[in-house]
Structures are given as C-alpha cells and as structure tokens.
Amino acid sequence: MQDRARMIAGNWKMNNGAAATVSFFEKLGSWLSADETGKGAAAAGKSGRIEIVVAPPFTSLAAAVAAKKSEYIGIAAQNAHFEPKGAFTGEISLQMLEEAGCKYVILGHSERRHVFGETDDLLQKKLDSTLGSKLLPIFCAGELLEERESGDTERVLERQLSIALANAAAADAAKKLTIAYEPVWAIGTGKVASNDDAQGACSFIRSFIGQKFGQEAAQKIRILYGGSVKPENSAGILSQKDIDGLLIGGASVEAESFARIIATAFGA
Ligand code: 13P
C-alpha cells in the first residue's frame, strides 16, 4: 500500500459566504475535537496521514483562514491569474492568495474550462506561475461524456496534462503538484465513476507522470478523484490503489457530510 498522505479536499464552488464559512468551521472544529470519530480524524491529521483542504470562494478566504484553527487544514483558492498584478479587472493573483493565507490553488477545474473557456495553453501559464510561487497547485483534468463514449479518455488526459506540464520539472511533480481526475460527466450529476473506472484513469495519470518525470515523481504525486463523491461511496473510491484522496463539490458544502467523508479516509 502507498505511503502518500491522503488529501480530502472540498471545493465549495460559489457556495458559503463569510458567515456560513465561520459556522462550517465551528461545526467541523467541534466534530474534530468532541466526537470520537472526529478525534480519530484529528489524530490522523496531526500524524500527517490525512490532510483536509477546503476551497471557499474568494470573499470567504479570510474568514476560512481565521476560523479553521487546525494547522492540518489547508485553505485553497478555486482559481488564480498567472500575472502577479496589473490591469486585469476581476482577477486575483497568486501572491494575493498567498497573503490571504492560502496554501493551495485549484487550477483547470472543468467549470473553468467548459463554462469560462479556459484553454490548455492558459492553464499551462497558470500552472507555471503557481509552481514558481509559494502556493501548491491542485490541477484538474478529465474527459467529457462524449470523449469517454468514443474511447478518448486517456488521449484527453494525456493532452491536458502534457500541455499543462510542458515546462514543469520532476521535482515540481514530486513535491508540489496534486492532480485531480474529475470526469466532467460525473461532476454534479450524481453519476459517480465506478471504482474501476476511477482507478483506471488515476493509474493512467500515474504512469503518465512516471514516463515524463520518472518513478520517484510517480510514487510521490498525489492523485485525487472528484465527481459526485458522497459519504456513501467515498470508502470504495478511496480503497483504490492509485487514488490518494478526493475533491468533493456538493457534499463538502455542509460540515456534516464533509466530516462523514473525512471519516472514511482513515478507515473509521
Ligand atoms: P460534485 O462533488 O458536486 O460532483 O463536484 C465535484 C467537483 O467538481 C469538485 O471539484
């Protein structure tokens, strides 16, 4: 079995303003310190076996950083611009996110790609800038339904990752990068990928990293699955050999279901 620390990450998308963020962390905090299962999760967090990450919307980041309390809960932004500053109305830079207390930034989420038109080339710039910053990227990749049905899943993953990682070094892949496999057809649809399909795609991603950066990077990199993860299906997905964690949308917005998923990550 692998010795990579598990990552359980919640992507809130456009949910939970500052007040809801404070109440989320109050509930999560009391679960981690009062409930027996929560105490197990806290111990797993302290020992470095699991890492909890929450990605609130930009305006809730400060509230999340102030409210999270535990040092093993990392805060992520959901997007960033690749330039450090300038005339980019509506954008936020990596340096601003770092100053706000973020540890991670999600890049290339399918909603950024398919709703907001972010391209592979743009995502390469964002990834390059992130690897040159103090933030750690959680880079998303995944195929559309028609691409899966036409047997193109691996081709799509290879294209997305090879363009994004064209300028990255092996040490970046080994030490800084987390990849999230999120099949677009499974996001917000209730249609979770089967354990075998999720494992197959994550294993393909790990071999791609091995071919490009060598075996050390392939063994160290964390690969997450995302798409309709719920407390009822998380244990099965997490039991797959190449899946090191989860990127959860809808079921991460409320503290209770997020906590129930965290519980499955350390075998409770
Ligand atoms: P759901 O868990 O709501 O399907 O969303 C997954 C996702 O997009 C996480 O980034």
Side-chain angles (χ1 to χ4, degrees):
M1 199 48 193
Q2 43 91 1
D3 58 1
R4 297 176 287 272
R6 291 226 154 125
M7 181 190 285
I8 304 299
N11 172 13
W12 286 355
K13 310 190 180 183
M14 200 168 73
N15 294 291
N16 286 346
T21 298
V22 171
S23 125
F24 174 97
F25 280 104
E26 269 167 14
K27 286 184 200 147
L28 189 68
S30 58
W31 177 70
L32 289 168
S33 61
D35 183 277
E36 278 314 309
T37 318
K39 282 189 197 160
K46 280 187 195 121
S47 70
R49 282 189 295 128
I50 62 172
E51 190 175 7
I52 300 167
V53 175
V54 177
F58 289 131
T59 56
S60 299
L61 286 174
V65 170
K68 74 181 174 91
K69 299 198 180 74
S70 315
E71 74 284 358
Y72 53 87
I73 300 179
I75 301 300
Q78 299 175 14
N79 184 27
H81 195 271
F82 57 86
E83 291 289 357
K85 61 179 182 173
F88 302 103
T89 302
E91 294 291 325
I92 308 277
S93 73
L94 292 155
Q95 291 70 19
M96 292 166 183
L97 296 172
E98 190 193 316
E99 194 183 345
C102 291
K103 179 172 181 191
Y104 292 97
V105 59
I106 298 173
L107 297 176
H109 189 276
S110 99
E111 286 141 26
R112 299 300 321 165
R113 291 176 187 267
H114 300 294
V115 182
F116 299 104
E118 294 198 1
T119 61
D120 290 325
D121 290 338
L122 174 68
L123 292 169
Q124 183 192 76
K125 287 188 187 160
K126 291 189 178 202
L127 189 62
D128 287 347
S129 297
T130 305
L131 291 172
S133 78
K134 293 197 181 127
L135 292 190
L136 301 171
I138 300 173
F139 189 85
C140 304
E143 80 287 2
L144 295 162
L145 181 60
E146 55 266 34
E147 292 167 333
R148 166 155 291 259
E149 284 174 345
S150 58
D152 283 332
T153 299
E154 294 186 353
R155 245 190 306 275
V156 170
L157 293 175
E158 184 161 0
R159 189 202 74 227
Q160 292 175 340
L161 294 175
S162 55
I163 297 176
L165 294 168
N167 305 318
D172 293 330
K175 295 194 185 127
K176 297 183 180 172
L177 182 64
T178 298
I179 295 178
Y181 168 61
E182 295 210 317
V184 182
W185 48 269
I187 297 177
T189 58
K191 285 186 206 149
V192 67
S194 69
N195 293 343
D196 284 352
D197 283 348
Q199 160 59 23
C202 292
S203 152
F204 174 79
I205 292 171
R206 198 175 300 287
S207 7
F208 170 85
I209 294 293
Q211 274 163 23
K212 185 163 171 64
F213 296 114
Q215 276 318 301
E216 193 195 340
Q219 286 318 306
K220 287 200 167 147
I221 195 165
R222 283 188 291 187
I223 304 177
L224 317 181
Y225 167 81
S228 294
V229 173
K230 304 278 177 271
E232 295 72 32
N233 58 28
S234 54
I237 299 168
L238 282 169
S239 67
Q240 304 304 307
K241 134 170 147 10
D242 286 298
I243 300 181
D244 305 312
L246 303 166
L247 184 54
I248 307 145
S252 73
V253 173
E254 297 291 336
E256 194 202 328
S257 59
F258 190 52
R260 283 172 61 207
I261 295 174
I262 295 169
T264 64
F266 69 102

